[in-house]
Amino acid sequence: MLFKKDVLAGIAKGDVTLAFRRWQKPTVRAGGTLRTAAGVLAIDAIDIVDAGGLTNEDASCSGYSSLDALLADIAGQRAGALYRIAFHLLGADPRVALRDIADFGSGEHGELRRRLTAFDGDIPWTLQTLRLIAARDGITAGELAASIGYEKAALKQKIRKLKELGLTESLQSGYRISPRGRAFLAET
């Protein structure tokens, strides 16, 4: 579930606690969490609703200036049932702090190397991808995929694994190596 920059700012301040999305099938579930640029959200509830029953308060709680603005956004979404997602900010994304940990503890570098080797499987991609990202901030998944011979969507899923380890971070467009990723590469 993606959020616009101004909505993310509202989430960070605690002002935005609802989202409305049309889905064939929900991509979040009550009791689950969702990582966003504002932090980790706890999903409190998810319910199918009718757009005709939405209120000005719903609009305000979802970051819109008016009910008309919310309804216009919903009208532009893909087909599917309309879901009301209630959430609250749980805390900071732990990957953000992890990105800055560039001093590896005893055996930590070796453990990262083992994890990357496991990610590679039969087709090594991790170190090559990390080096390409380190060479240029903002390199896109499409550029990376073309460079290493992967399909873009499949590679994006793989890069998420690197992000989980704190080695990379997503930019508005493309990726950047983190201080942790840079330190890892320097020791590899």
Side-chain angles (χ1 to χ4, degrees):
M1 196 163 66
L2 297 175
F3 293 97
K4 295 177 183 170
K5 196 175 202 175
D6 59 329
V7 173
L8 287 168
I11 291 170
K13 291 192 304 188
D15 297 338
V16 174
T17 58
L18 292 177
F20 293 90
R21 299 289 189 272
R22 286 199 182 278
W23 289 321
Q24 296 297 323
K25 182 173 101 174
T27 62
V28 296
R29 63 175 177 77
T33 59
L34 176 69
R35 290 187 183 139
T36 71
V40 178
L41 304 182
I43 308 300
D44 300 319
I46 178 167
D47 301 293
I48 294 177
V49 296
D50 182 85
L54 299 181
T55 65
N56 284 321
E57 185 177 351
D58 289 328
S60 178
C61 289
S62 57
Y64 291 88
S65 59
S66 69
L67 179 56
D68 288 341
L70 171 59
L71 293 173
D73 186 55
I74 289 169
Q77 294 180 15
R78 68 186 98 174
L82 179 61
Y83 289 87
R84 177 187 188 269
I85 304 100
F87 56 82
H88 68 276
L89 185 61
L90 196 57
D93 184 339
R95 297 174 301 179
V96 173
L98 184 60
R99 290 179 207 150
D100 290 329
I101 300 172
D103 294 326
F104 297 106
S106 174
E108 192 175 2
H109 185 274
E111 178 56 27
L112 275 174
R113 187 77 168 106
R114 280 188 290 283
R115 299 229 8 225
L116 295 181
T117 300
F119 291 165
D120 284 340
D122 293 336
I123 304 171
W125 64 272
T126 56
L127 289 177
Q128 184 179 13
T129 301
L130 284 170
R131 288 183 179 117
L132 287 167
I133 293 170
R136 183 167 63 86
D137 281 358
I139 191 167
T140 66
E143 293 168 315
L144 288 165
S147 294
I148 66 171
Y150 259 89
E151 194 270 324
K152 179 181 164 182
L155 183 62
K156 286 178 86 164
Q157 288 183 326
K158 289 180 174 293
I159 292 172
R160 286 188 192 115
K161 293 178 179 182
L162 302 177
K163 194 174 174 181
E164 288 294 319
L165 297 175
L167 301 174
T168 65
E169 60 184 290
S170 296
L171 302 174
Q172 190 71 19
S173 176
Y175 304 98
R176 166 172 54 208
I177 198 82
S178 69
R180 180 179 183 80
R182 199 166 298 286
F184 174 79
L185 286 175
E187 291 185 28
T188 301

Short mmCIF file of all heavy atoms in Angstrom, two decimals, residues 113-180:
data_model
loop_
_atom_site.label_atom_id
_atom_site.label_comp_id
_atom_site.label_asym_id
_atom_site.label_seq_id
_atom_site.Cartn_x
_atom_site.Cartn_y
_atom_site.Cartn_z
N ARG A 113 27.40 -12.50 4.49
CA ARG A 113 27.90 -13.16 3.27
C ARG A 113 27.17 -14.49 3.05
O ARG A 113 26.78 -14.81 1.93
CB ARG A 113 29.41 -13.37 3.41
CG ARG A 113 30.05 -13.89 2.16
CD ARG A 113 30.19 -12.75 1.15
NE ARG A 113 31.05 -13.16 0.07
CZ ARG A 113 30.60 -13.46 -1.15
NH1 ARG A 113 29.33 -13.34 -1.45
NH2 ARG A 113 31.43 -13.83 -2.08
N ARG A 114 26.96 -15.25 4.12
CA ARG A 114 26.24 -16.52 4.01
C ARG A 114 24.79 -16.28 3.56
O ARG A 114 24.26 -17.03 2.73
CB ARG A 114 26.27 -17.27 5.34
CG ARG A 114 27.58 -18.02 5.60
CD ARG A 114 27.52 -18.90 6.84
NE ARG A 114 27.48 -18.12 8.07
CZ ARG A 114 28.53 -17.50 8.62
NH1 ARG A 114 29.70 -17.57 8.03
NH2 ARG A 114 28.40 -16.83 9.75
N ARG A 115 24.17 -15.26 4.09
CA ARG A 115 22.78 -14.96 3.71
C ARG A 115 22.69 -14.58 2.24
O ARG A 115 21.78 -14.99 1.53
CB ARG A 115 22.21 -13.84 4.59
CG ARG A 115 22.19 -14.26 6.03
CD ARG A 115 21.00 -14.12 6.87
NE ARG A 115 19.73 -13.75 6.42
CZ ARG A 115 18.96 -12.85 7.04
NH1 ARG A 115 19.40 -12.22 8.11
NH2 ARG A 115 17.76 -12.60 6.60
N LEU A 116 23.65 -13.77 1.79
CA LEU A 116 23.65 -13.37 0.37
C LEU A 116 23.88 -14.57 -0.53
O LEU A 116 23.24 -14.69 -1.58
CB LEU A 116 24.69 -12.28 0.11
CG LEU A 116 24.44 -10.94 0.81
CD1 LEU A 116 25.53 -9.95 0.44
CD2 LEU A 116 23.07 -10.38 0.48
N THR A 117 24.76 -15.46 -0.13
CA THR A 117 25.01 -16.67 -0.92
C THR A 117 23.73 -17.51 -1.00
O THR A 117 23.41 -18.05 -2.06
CB THR A 117 26.17 -17.49 -0.30
OG1 THR A 117 27.34 -16.67 -0.31
CG2 THR A 117 26.43 -18.76 -1.08
N ALA A 118 22.99 -17.58 0.10
CA ALA A 118 21.72 -18.30 0.09
C ALA A 118 20.71 -17.61 -0.84
O ALA A 118 19.96 -18.29 -1.55
CB ALA A 118 21.16 -18.41 1.51
N PHE A 119 20.69 -16.28 -0.83
CA PHE A 119 19.80 -15.54 -1.74
C PHE A 119 20.15 -15.83 -3.19
O PHE A 119 19.28 -15.91 -4.05
CB PHE A 119 19.90 -14.03 -1.52
CG PHE A 119 19.34 -13.51 -0.22
CD1 PHE A 119 19.66 -12.23 0.20
CD2 PHE A 119 18.51 -14.28 0.59
CE1 PHE A 119 19.15 -11.71 1.38
CE2 PHE A 119 18.00 -13.77 1.78
CZ PHE A 119 18.32 -12.49 2.17
N ASP A 120 21.44 -15.97 -3.48
CA ASP A 120 21.90 -16.19 -4.84
C ASP A 120 21.36 -17.48 -5.43
O ASP A 120 20.97 -17.52 -6.59
CB ASP A 120 23.43 -16.23 -4.90
CG ASP A 120 24.07 -14.87 -4.81
OD1 ASP A 120 23.39 -13.85 -5.07
OD2 ASP A 120 25.27 -14.81 -4.47
N GLY A 121 21.34 -18.54 -4.64
CA GLY A 121 20.93 -19.83 -5.18
C GLY A 121 21.86 -20.23 -6.31
O GLY A 121 23.08 -20.12 -6.20
N ASP A 122 21.28 -20.65 -7.43
CA ASP A 122 22.07 -21.11 -8.58
C ASP A 122 22.58 -19.95 -9.45
O ASP A 122 23.47 -20.16 -10.27
CB ASP A 122 21.24 -22.05 -9.46
CG ASP A 122 20.92 -23.35 -8.74
OD1 ASP A 122 21.66 -23.73 -7.82
OD2 ASP A 122 19.90 -23.98 -9.11
N ILE A 123 21.98 -18.78 -9.30
CA ILE A 123 22.35 -17.65 -10.16
C ILE A 123 22.81 -16.48 -9.29
O ILE A 123 21.98 -15.78 -8.70
CB ILE A 123 21.18 -17.22 -11.06
CG1 ILE A 123 20.68 -18.40 -11.88
CG2 ILE A 123 21.58 -16.05 -11.95
CD1 ILE A 123 19.40 -18.14 -12.64
N PRO A 124 24.12 -16.28 -9.16
CA PRO A 124 24.62 -15.18 -8.33
C PRO A 124 24.14 -13.81 -8.85
O PRO A 124 24.24 -13.53 -10.04
CB PRO A 124 26.14 -15.29 -8.45
CG PRO A 124 26.39 -16.68 -8.91
CD PRO A 124 25.20 -17.06 -9.73
N TRP A 125 23.58 -13.02 -7.95
CA TRP A 125 23.11 -11.68 -8.32
C TRP A 125 23.38 -10.65 -7.23
O TRP A 125 23.42 -9.46 -7.50
CB TRP A 125 21.61 -11.71 -8.62
CG TRP A 125 20.77 -12.08 -7.43
CD1 TRP A 125 20.43 -13.34 -7.03
CD2 TRP A 125 20.23 -11.19 -6.45
NE1 TRP A 125 19.71 -13.29 -5.87
CE2 TRP A 125 19.57 -11.98 -5.49
CE3 TRP A 125 20.24 -9.81 -6.29
CZ2 TRP A 125 18.92 -11.44 -4.39
CZ3 TRP A 125 19.59 -9.26 -5.18
CH2 TRP A 125 18.94 -10.07 -4.26
N THR A 126 23.56 -11.09 -5.99
CA THR A 126 23.59 -10.15 -4.87
C THR A 126 24.77 -9.19 -4.91
O THR A 126 24.57 -7.97 -4.84
CB THR A 126 23.57 -10.88 -3.51
OG1 THR A 126 24.66 -11.81 -3.46
CG2 THR A 126 22.27 -11.61 -3.30
N LEU A 127 25.99 -9.71 -5.00
CA LEU A 127 27.16 -8.83 -4.98
C LEU A 127 27.20 -7.93 -6.21
O LEU A 127 27.51 -6.74 -6.11
CB LEU A 127 28.45 -9.63 -4.86
CG LEU A 127 28.68 -10.27 -3.50
CD1 LEU A 127 29.95 -11.12 -3.51
CD2 LEU A 127 28.77 -9.21 -2.41
N GLN A 128 26.86 -8.48 -7.37
CA GLN A 128 26.84 -7.68 -8.60
C GLN A 128 25.82 -6.54 -8.46
O GLN A 128 26.11 -5.40 -8.81
CB GLN A 128 26.49 -8.57 -9.79
CG GLN A 128 26.54 -7.86 -11.11
CD GLN A 128 26.21 -8.78 -12.27
OE1 GLN A 128 25.73 -9.89 -12.09
NE2 GLN A 128 26.47 -8.30 -13.48
N THR A 129 24.66 -6.85 -7.92
CA THR A 129 23.62 -5.83 -7.74
C THR A 129 24.07 -4.78 -6.73
O THR A 129 23.91 -3.57 -6.97
CB THR A 129 22.30 -6.49 -7.30
OG1 THR A 129 21.91 -7.43 -8.31
CG2 THR A 129 21.21 -5.46 -7.10
N LEU A 130 24.63 -5.20 -5.61
CA LEU A 130 25.13 -4.24 -4.61
C LEU A 130 26.19 -3.33 -5.21
O LEU A 130 26.19 -2.12 -4.96
CB LEU A 130 25.69 -4.98 -3.39
CG LEU A 130 24.68 -5.55 -2.42
CD1 LEU A 130 25.36 -6.45 -1.40
CD2 LEU A 130 23.91 -4.44 -1.72
N ARG A 131 27.09 -3.89 -6.00
CA ARG A 131 28.16 -3.06 -6.60
C ARG A 131 27.59 -2.06 -7.60
O ARG A 131 28.05 -0.92 -7.67
CB ARG A 131 29.20 -3.96 -7.24
CG ARG A 131 30.05 -4.68 -6.22
CD ARG A 131 31.16 -5.53 -6.84
NE ARG A 131 31.93 -6.17 -5.80
CZ ARG A 131 32.01 -7.49 -5.64
NH1 ARG A 131 31.40 -8.32 -6.47
NH2 ARG A 131 32.74 -7.99 -4.66
N LEU A 132 26.59 -2.47 -8.36
CA LEU A 132 25.96 -1.55 -9.31
C LEU A 132 25.23 -0.42 -8.58
O LEU A 132 25.30 0.74 -8.98
CB LEU A 132 24.99 -2.30 -10.23
CG LEU A 132 25.63 -3.19 -11.29
CD1 LEU A 132 24.59 -4.11 -11.92
CD2 LEU A 132 26.32 -2.35 -12.35
N ILE A 133 24.55 -0.76 -7.51
CA ILE A 133 23.85 0.26 -6.72
C ILE A 133 24.85 1.20 -6.07
O ILE A 133 24.66 2.42 -6.05
CB ILE A 133 22.92 -0.39 -5.67
CG1 ILE A 133 21.77 -1.14 -6.36
CG2 ILE A 133 22.37 0.66 -4.71
CD1 ILE A 133 20.94 -2.01 -5.44
N ALA A 134 25.97 0.65 -5.58
CA ALA A 134 27.00 1.47 -4.95
C ALA A 134 27.66 2.42 -5.95
O ALA A 134 28.09 3.51 -5.58
CB ALA A 134 28.06 0.58 -4.30
N ALA A 135 27.71 2.02 -7.20
CA ALA A 135 28.37 2.83 -8.23
C ALA A 135 27.57 4.08 -8.61
O ALA A 135 28.15 5.07 -9.06
CB ALA A 135 28.62 1.99 -9.48
N ARG A 136 26.24 4.04 -8.40
CA ARG A 136 25.43 5.20 -8.79
C ARG A 136 24.14 5.29 -8.00
O ARG A 136 23.25 4.45 -8.15
CB ARG A 136 25.10 5.14 -10.28
CG ARG A 136 24.33 6.37 -10.76
CD ARG A 136 24.26 6.49 -12.26
NE ARG A 136 23.56 5.42 -12.91
CZ ARG A 136 22.24 5.39 -13.10
NH1 ARG A 136 21.48 6.36 -12.66
NH2 ARG A 136 21.68 4.38 -13.75
N ASP A 137 24.05 6.30 -7.15
CA ASP A 137 22.80 6.57 -6.44
C ASP A 137 21.69 6.81 -7.46
O ASP A 137 21.89 7.49 -8.46
CB ASP A 137 22.92 7.83 -5.58
CG ASP A 137 23.64 7.60 -4.28
OD1 ASP A 137 24.03 6.45 -4.01
OD2 ASP A 137 23.82 8.57 -3.53
N GLY A 138 20.54 6.20 -7.20
CA GLY A 138 19.38 6.42 -8.05
C GLY A 138 19.25 5.44 -9.19
O GLY A 138 18.33 5.57 -10.00
N ILE A 139 20.14 4.47 -9.27
CA ILE A 139 20.01 3.48 -10.34
C ILE A 139 18.67 2.77 -10.17
O ILE A 139 18.27 2.42 -9.06
CB ILE A 139 21.20 2.49 -10.37
CG1 ILE A 139 21.17 1.66 -11.65
CG2 ILE A 139 21.25 1.64 -9.12
CD1 ILE A 139 22.47 0.89 -11.92
N THR A 140 17.95 2.61 -11.25
CA THR A 140 16.59 2.05 -11.18
C THR A 140 16.60 0.53 -11.35
O THR A 140 17.58 -0.05 -11.83
CB THR A 140 15.69 2.65 -12.27
OG1 THR A 140 16.19 2.23 -13.55
CG2 THR A 140 15.63 4.17 -12.18
N ALA A 141 15.50 -0.08 -10.98
CA ALA A 141 15.36 -1.53 -11.13
C ALA A 141 15.47 -1.93 -12.60
O ALA A 141 16.06 -2.96 -12.92
CB ALA A 141 14.04 -1.99 -10.54
N GLY A 142 14.93 -1.11 -13.48
CA GLY A 142 15.02 -1.41 -14.91
C GLY A 142 16.47 -1.42 -15.40
O GLY A 142 16.87 -2.30 -16.15
N GLU A 143 17.24 -0.43 -14.96
CA GLU A 143 18.66 -0.38 -15.34
C GLU A 143 19.43 -1.56 -14.76
O GLU A 143 20.26 -2.17 -15.44
CB GLU A 143 19.28 0.94 -14.86
CG GLU A 143 18.72 2.15 -15.57
CD GLU A 143 19.13 3.46 -14.90
OE1 GLU A 143 19.05 3.54 -13.65
OE2 GLU A 143 19.52 4.38 -15.64
N LEU A 144 19.15 -1.87 -13.52
CA LEU A 144 19.81 -3.02 -12.88
C LEU A 144 19.45 -4.32 -13.59
O LEU A 144 20.33 -5.14 -13.86
CB LEU A 144 19.43 -3.10 -11.40
CG LEU A 144 20.01 -2.03 -10.49
CD1 LEU A 144 19.27 -1.99 -9.16
CD2 LEU A 144 21.49 -2.28 -10.27
N ALA A 145 18.17 -4.49 -13.86
CA ALA A 145 17.71 -5.72 -14.52
C ALA A 145 18.39 -5.91 -15.88
O ALA A 145 18.84 -7.01 -16.21
CB ALA A 145 16.19 -5.70 -14.68
N ALA A 146 18.49 -4.82 -16.64
CA ALA A 146 19.15 -4.90 -17.94
C ALA A 146 20.63 -5.23 -17.79
O ALA A 146 21.19 -5.98 -18.59
CB ALA A 146 18.98 -3.59 -18.69
N SER A 147 21.26 -4.72 -16.74
CA SER A 147 22.69 -4.95 -16.52
C SER A 147 23.02 -6.39 -16.13
O SER A 147 24.06 -6.90 -16.50
CB SER A 147 23.23 -4.03 -15.43
OG SER A 147 23.17 -2.69 -15.84
N ILE A 148 22.13 -7.01 -15.37
CA ILE A 148 22.46 -8.35 -14.87
C ILE A 148 21.60 -9.45 -15.49
O ILE A 148 21.72 -10.62 -15.13
CB ILE A 148 22.41 -8.43 -13.33
CG1 ILE A 148 20.99 -8.23 -12.79
CG2 ILE A 148 23.36 -7.44 -12.71
CD1 ILE A 148 20.87 -8.51 -11.31
N GLY A 149 20.71 -9.08 -16.42
CA GLY A 149 19.93 -10.08 -17.15
C GLY A 149 18.77 -10.68 -16.37
O GLY A 149 18.48 -11.86 -16.51
N TYR A 150 18.11 -9.85 -15.58
CA TYR A 150 16.94 -10.29 -14.82
C TYR A 150 15.71 -9.55 -15.32
O TYR A 150 15.81 -8.46 -15.86
CB TYR A 150 17.11 -9.97 -13.33
CG TYR A 150 17.52 -11.15 -12.49
CD1 TYR A 150 18.86 -11.45 -12.30
CD2 TYR A 150 16.58 -11.96 -11.88
CE1 TYR A 150 19.25 -12.53 -11.52
CE2 TYR A 150 16.96 -13.04 -11.10
CZ TYR A 150 18.29 -13.32 -10.93
OH TYR A 150 18.66 -14.38 -10.17
N GLU A 151 14.55 -10.13 -15.07
CA GLU A 151 13.29 -9.45 -15.33
C GLU A 151 13.09 -8.43 -14.21
O GLU A 151 13.36 -8.72 -13.05
CB GLU A 151 12.16 -10.49 -15.35
CG GLU A 151 10.86 -10.00 -15.92
CD GLU A 151 9.96 -9.41 -14.85
OE1 GLU A 151 9.93 -9.90 -13.71
OE2 GLU A 151 9.28 -8.42 -15.17
N LYS A 152 12.66 -7.24 -14.56
CA LYS A 152 12.58 -6.12 -13.62
C LYS A 152 11.76 -6.43 -12.36
O LYS A 152 12.22 -6.21 -11.25
CB LYS A 152 11.99 -4.90 -14.33
CG LYS A 152 11.84 -3.69 -13.45
CD LYS A 152 11.23 -2.53 -14.25
CE LYS A 152 10.70 -1.45 -13.36
NZ LYS A 152 10.08 -0.37 -14.13
N ALA A 153 10.55 -6.96 -12.52
CA ALA A 153 9.69 -7.23 -11.36
C ALA A 153 10.33 -8.26 -10.43
O ALA A 153 10.29 -8.12 -9.20
CB ALA A 153 8.31 -7.69 -11.81
N ALA A 154 10.95 -9.28 -11.00
CA ALA A 154 11.61 -10.32 -10.19
C ALA A 154 12.80 -9.72 -9.43
O ALA A 154 13.02 -10.02 -8.26
CB ALA A 154 12.06 -11.47 -11.07
N LEU A 155 13.53 -8.84 -10.10
CA LEU A 155 14.70 -8.24 -9.44
C LEU A 155 14.27 -7.30 -8.32
O LEU A 155 14.90 -7.26 -7.26
CB LEU A 155 15.57 -7.49 -10.46
CG LEU A 155 16.85 -6.90 -9.87
CD1 LEU A 155 17.75 -8.00 -9.31
CD2 LEU A 155 17.60 -6.09 -10.92
N LYS A 156 13.18 -6.57 -8.51
CA LYS A 156 12.69 -5.68 -7.46
C LYS A 156 12.40 -6.48 -6.18
O LYS A 156 12.72 -6.04 -5.08
CB LYS A 156 11.44 -4.92 -7.91
CG LYS A 156 11.74 -3.81 -8.88
CD LYS A 156 10.49 -3.12 -9.33
CE LYS A 156 10.15 -2.04 -8.35
NZ LYS A 156 9.18 -1.07 -8.86
N GLN A 157 11.80 -7.65 -6.33
CA GLN A 157 11.53 -8.50 -5.17
C GLN A 157 12.83 -8.95 -4.51
O GLN A 157 12.93 -9.01 -3.29
CB GLN A 157 10.71 -9.72 -5.58
CG GLN A 157 9.28 -9.39 -5.90
CD GLN A 157 8.46 -10.62 -6.24
OE1 GLN A 157 8.96 -11.57 -6.82
NE2 GLN A 157 7.20 -10.60 -5.86
N LYS A 158 13.83 -9.24 -5.32
CA LYS A 158 15.11 -9.67 -4.78
C LYS A 158 15.81 -8.52 -4.03
O LYS A 158 16.39 -8.73 -2.97
CB LYS A 158 16.01 -10.21 -5.90
CG LYS A 158 15.54 -11.54 -6.44
CD LYS A 158 16.45 -12.02 -7.55
CE LYS A 158 16.10 -13.41 -8.00
NZ LYS A 158 16.32 -14.45 -7.02
N ILE A 159 15.71 -7.33 -4.57
CA ILE A 159 16.36 -6.18 -3.93
C ILE A 159 15.73 -5.90 -2.57
O ILE A 159 16.41 -5.44 -1.65
CB ILE A 159 16.34 -4.95 -4.86
CG1 ILE A 159 17.23 -5.20 -6.07
CG2 ILE A 159 16.78 -3.69 -4.12
CD1 ILE A 159 17.16 -4.16 -7.16
N ARG A 160 14.46 -6.23 -2.40
CA ARG A 160 13.82 -6.08 -1.08
C ARG A 160 14.56 -6.89 -0.02
O ARG A 160 14.62 -6.51 1.14
CB ARG A 160 12.36 -6.50 -1.14
CG ARG A 160 11.49 -5.49 -1.84
CD ARG A 160 10.01 -5.85 -1.70
NE ARG A 160 9.26 -5.02 -2.62
CZ ARG A 160 8.58 -5.48 -3.66
NH1 ARG A 160 8.52 -6.77 -3.91
NH2 ARG A 160 7.93 -4.66 -4.46
N LYS A 161 15.13 -8.02 -0.42
CA LYS A 161 15.90 -8.84 0.52
C LYS A 161 17.15 -8.09 0.98
O LYS A 161 17.54 -8.18 2.14
CB LYS A 161 16.28 -10.18 -0.13
CG LYS A 161 15.10 -11.08 -0.41
CD LYS A 161 15.56 -12.36 -1.09
CE LYS A 161 14.40 -13.29 -1.35
NZ LYS A 161 14.83 -14.55 -1.95
N LEU A 162 17.78 -7.37 0.07
CA LEU A 162 18.96 -6.57 0.43
C LEU A 162 18.56 -5.44 1.36
O LEU A 162 19.28 -5.10 2.30
CB LEU A 162 19.62 -6.02 -0.83
CG LEU A 162 20.08 -7.05 -1.87
CD1 LEU A 162 20.65 -6.35 -3.10
CD2 LEU A 162 21.07 -8.02 -1.27
N LYS A 163 17.40 -4.87 1.11
CA LYS A 163 16.89 -3.79 1.94
C LYS A 163 16.59 -4.29 3.35
O LYS A 163 16.84 -3.60 4.34
CB LYS A 163 15.62 -3.23 1.29
CG LYS A 163 15.14 -1.92 1.82
CD LYS A 163 13.98 -1.43 0.96
CE LYS A 163 13.36 -0.20 1.52
NZ LYS A 163 12.23 0.25 0.71
N GLU A 164 16.06 -5.52 3.46
CA GLU A 164 15.77 -6.12 4.78
C GLU A 164 17.04 -6.25 5.62
O GLU A 164 16.98 -6.17 6.84
CB GLU A 164 15.14 -7.50 4.61
CG GLU A 164 13.72 -7.49 4.13
CD GLU A 164 12.76 -6.87 5.13
OE1 GLU A 164 12.90 -7.14 6.33
OE2 GLU A 164 11.89 -6.11 4.70
N LEU A 165 18.15 -6.45 4.96
CA LEU A 165 19.43 -6.60 5.67
C LEU A 165 20.10 -5.25 5.95
O LEU A 165 21.19 -5.20 6.51
CB LEU A 165 20.39 -7.48 4.87
CG LEU A 165 19.93 -8.93 4.66
CD1 LEU A 165 20.90 -9.67 3.75
CD2 LEU A 165 19.77 -9.65 5.98
N GLY A 166 19.44 -4.16 5.52
CA GLY A 166 19.98 -2.82 5.75
C GLY A 166 21.10 -2.44 4.79
O GLY A 166 21.83 -1.49 5.03
N LEU A 167 21.23 -3.16 3.67
CA LEU A 167 22.33 -2.91 2.74
C LEU A 167 21.99 -1.87 1.69
O LEU A 167 22.90 -1.24 1.14
CB LEU A 167 22.74 -4.23 2.06
CG LEU A 167 23.20 -5.34 3.01
CD1 LEU A 167 23.43 -6.63 2.24
CD2 LEU A 167 24.45 -4.91 3.77
N THR A 168 20.72 -1.68 1.40
CA THR A 168 20.29 -0.71 0.40
C THR A 168 19.10 0.07 0.95
O THR A 168 18.50 -0.32 1.95
CB THR A 168 19.85 -1.38 -0.91
OG1 THR A 168 18.70 -2.18 -0.66
CG2 THR A 168 20.97 -2.22 -1.52
N GLU A 169 18.76 1.14 0.25
CA GLU A 169 17.53 1.87 0.57
C GLU A 169 16.91 2.35 -0.73
O GLU A 169 17.59 2.57 -1.72
CB GLU A 169 17.79 3.01 1.53
CG GLU A 169 18.74 4.06 1.05
CD GLU A 169 19.03 5.11 2.12
OE1 GLU A 169 18.11 5.89 2.41
OE2 GLU A 169 20.14 5.13 2.63
N SER A 170 15.60 2.48 -0.71
CA SER A 170 14.87 2.96 -1.87
C SER A 170 14.85 4.48 -1.85
O SER A 170 14.69 5.09 -0.80
CB SER A 170 13.43 2.45 -1.86
OG SER A 170 13.41 1.05 -1.97
N LEU A 171 15.00 5.05 -3.03
CA LEU A 171 14.87 6.48 -3.21
C LEU A 171 13.53 6.74 -3.89
O LEU A 171 12.81 5.80 -4.25
CB LEU A 171 16.02 7.01 -4.08
CG LEU A 171 17.42 6.76 -3.54
CD1 LEU A 171 18.47 7.18 -4.56
CD2 LEU A 171 17.63 7.48 -2.22
N GLN A 172 13.20 8.01 -4.10
CA GLN A 172 11.97 8.33 -4.84
C GLN A 172 11.99 7.60 -6.18
O GLN A 172 10.99 7.09 -6.64
CB GLN A 172 11.87 9.85 -5.03
CG GLN A 172 10.55 10.31 -5.57
CD GLN A 172 9.43 10.19 -4.55
OE1 GLN A 172 9.66 10.09 -3.36
NE2 GLN A 172 8.20 10.18 -5.03
N SER A 173 13.15 7.56 -6.79
CA SER A 173 13.34 6.81 -8.02
C SER A 173 14.67 6.07 -7.90
O SER A 173 15.72 6.70 -7.77
CB SER A 173 13.37 7.75 -9.23
OG SER A 173 13.65 7.02 -10.40
N GLY A 174 14.62 4.78 -7.87
CA GLY A 174 15.83 3.98 -7.82
C GLY A 174 16.28 3.64 -6.41
O GLY A 174 15.51 3.73 -5.46
N TYR A 175 17.54 3.24 -6.33
CA TYR A 175 18.11 2.75 -5.08
C TYR A 175 19.43 3.45 -4.77
O TYR A 175 20.08 4.02 -5.63
CB TYR A 175 18.38 1.23 -5.16
CG TYR A 175 17.16 0.44 -5.53
CD1 TYR A 175 16.93 0.05 -6.84
CD2 TYR A 175 16.22 0.11 -4.57
CE1 TYR A 175 15.79 -0.67 -7.18
CE2 TYR A 175 15.08 -0.61 -4.90
CZ TYR A 175 14.87 -0.99 -6.20
OH TYR A 175 13.76 -1.70 -6.53
N ARG A 176 19.83 3.30 -3.49
CA ARG A 176 21.11 3.81 -3.03
C ARG A 176 21.69 2.77 -2.08
O ARG A 176 20.96 2.10 -1.35
CB ARG A 176 20.89 5.14 -2.31
CG ARG A 176 22.06 5.63 -1.51
CD ARG A 176 21.91 7.03 -0.96
NE ARG A 176 20.68 7.22 -0.19
CZ ARG A 176 20.06 8.38 -0.07
NH1 ARG A 176 20.51 9.46 -0.67
NH2 ARG A 176 18.97 8.48 0.66
N ILE A 177 23.01 2.67 -2.07
CA ILE A 177 23.67 1.78 -1.11
C ILE A 177 23.67 2.49 0.25
O ILE A 177 23.79 3.71 0.31
CB ILE A 177 25.11 1.43 -1.59
CG1 ILE A 177 25.66 0.20 -0.88
CG2 ILE A 177 26.05 2.59 -1.42
CD1 ILE A 177 25.20 -1.08 -1.49
N SER A 178 23.50 1.74 1.30
CA SER A 178 23.51 2.33 2.64
C SER A 178 24.94 2.34 3.17
O SER A 178 25.83 1.67 2.62
CB SER A 178 22.64 1.48 3.57
OG SER A 178 23.25 0.23 3.78
N PRO A 179 25.19 3.08 4.26
CA PRO A 179 26.52 3.00 4.88
C PRO A 179 26.88 1.55 5.25
O PRO A 179 28.03 1.13 5.08
CB PRO A 179 26.38 3.89 6.12
CG PRO A 179 25.34 4.89 5.73
CD PRO A 179 24.36 4.11 4.88
N ARG A 180 25.91 0.80 5.72
CA ARG A 180 26.14 -0.61 6.05
C ARG A 180 26.54 -1.39 4.79
O ARG A 180 27.46 -2.21 4.81
CB ARG A 180 24.89 -1.21 6.68
CG ARG A 180 24.99 -2.66 7.07
CD ARG A 180 23.67 -3.12 7.71
NE ARG A 180 23.70 -4.48 8.19
CZ ARG A 180 24.24 -4.88 9.32
NH1 ARG A 180 24.83 -4.00 10.11
NH2 ARG A 180 24.21 -6.15 9.68
#
